[in-house]
Amino acid sequence: MAFSADELRVLRRVLAIALHPTPLPEEDVQDCLRLAEAVDEAVGEAGRLRVFLLADLARYREALPGSVSGYLELLQDALAAGYDPRPDDLAALRALRGKPLAAALLERCQVIAERSVRARLAGRAVPVTAPAPRSRLLALPGGLAAAQEPDRPKDPPAPARPQAPGERPMPKPSEVFPPRRRPVTPSEERAAG
């Protein structure tokens, strides 16, 4: 994750305030909340990217042996992102063991899979596939105070991304892929009419 110059400036101010607590001006509070939203958005995007990567990896694995180079490259990316190899991955890598990269990945995946199994047997938490949602910032006005005020009506959630003027909204899957209709045979047309 990379921060812009403005985000780093806000982060430095927040860290300084955390070390030496003082009342915050409204502008600083708003900057902190915007930074928290940006971090939340980046975490959410990372989760969506991970889901896409794993789906792509499964497609390439199913297309083996014709997709060897793509599969090995995607598997390396997935492992770098914290992916625990599945039994299907280990079986595919065993079948591709003749290639040096596949043999190296097989060794790496076996170590990761063994560590994951040991962690599960020991009852320790295993890394989840999607990041958990982050809680509200309670140290800022609007955080803890808002949580303690149940009488106040909640604002409707803001759209994920503001829509630019003239931009079409994101279509629903049912609009893009309408339901398939069964073709009507001429004998059914005569019976209906």
Side-chain angles (χ1 to χ4, degrees):
M1 181 182 304
F3 291 104
S4 71
D6 287 337
E7 290 169 335
L8 282 176
R9 180 182 49 79
V10 171
L11 194 56
R12 278 193 205 109
R13 277 194 324 221
V14 169
L15 292 173
I17 291 167
L19 291 174
H20 305 287
T22 59
L24 288 174
E26 182 65 27
E27 180 183 322
D28 287 348
V29 170
Q30 293 303 319
D31 286 345
C32 292
L33 291 174
R34 278 193 292 276
L35 179 61
E37 288 172 3
V39 169
D40 286 344
E41 187 177 324
V43 167
E45 185 62 31
R48 287 188 292 276
L49 182 61
R50 181 180 172 85
V51 168
F52 176 78
L53 175 67
L54 296 181
D56 223 12
L57 181 66
R59 270 200 330 262
Y60 273 77
R61 184 176 51 237
E62 290 169 5
L64 285 173
S67 62
V68 173
S69 62
Y71 172 70
L72 295 177
E73 184 178 321
L74 282 173
L75 183 59
Q76 284 178 318
D77 291 345
L79 291 173
Y83 173 68
D84 279 341
R86 309 283 185 252
D88 294 343
D89 294 312
L90 295 172
L93 289 171
R94 284 186 192 106
L96 300 171
R97 199 179 324 188
K99 298 193 176 293
L101 180 57
L105 277 173
L106 176 60
E107 288 179 29
R108 182 176 171 196
C109 286
Q110 285 174 330
V111 169
I112 293 171
E114 184 179 325
R115 190 179 313 140
S116 176
V117 167
R118 285 184 184 186
R120 270 186 254 142
L121 291 175
R124 290 184 297 193
V126 178
V128 294
T129 56
R134 202 172 56 76
S135 61
R136 281 185 55 102
L137 290 174
L138 300 178
L140 297 173
L144 183 59
Q148 294 174 348
E149 296 176 14
D151 299 344
R152 196 172 117 204
K154 302 223 185 281
D155 297 332
R161 182 179 64 89
Q163 194 171 343
E167 182 181 21
R168 292 179 35 201
M170 178 71 79
K172 298 177 193 169
S174 61
E175 296 170 341
V176 177
F177 305 106
R180 291 188 179 172
R181 307 238 188 275
R182 187 174 56 91
V184 179
T185 61
S187 62
E188 290 176 344
E189 284 180 358
R190 281 188 230 131

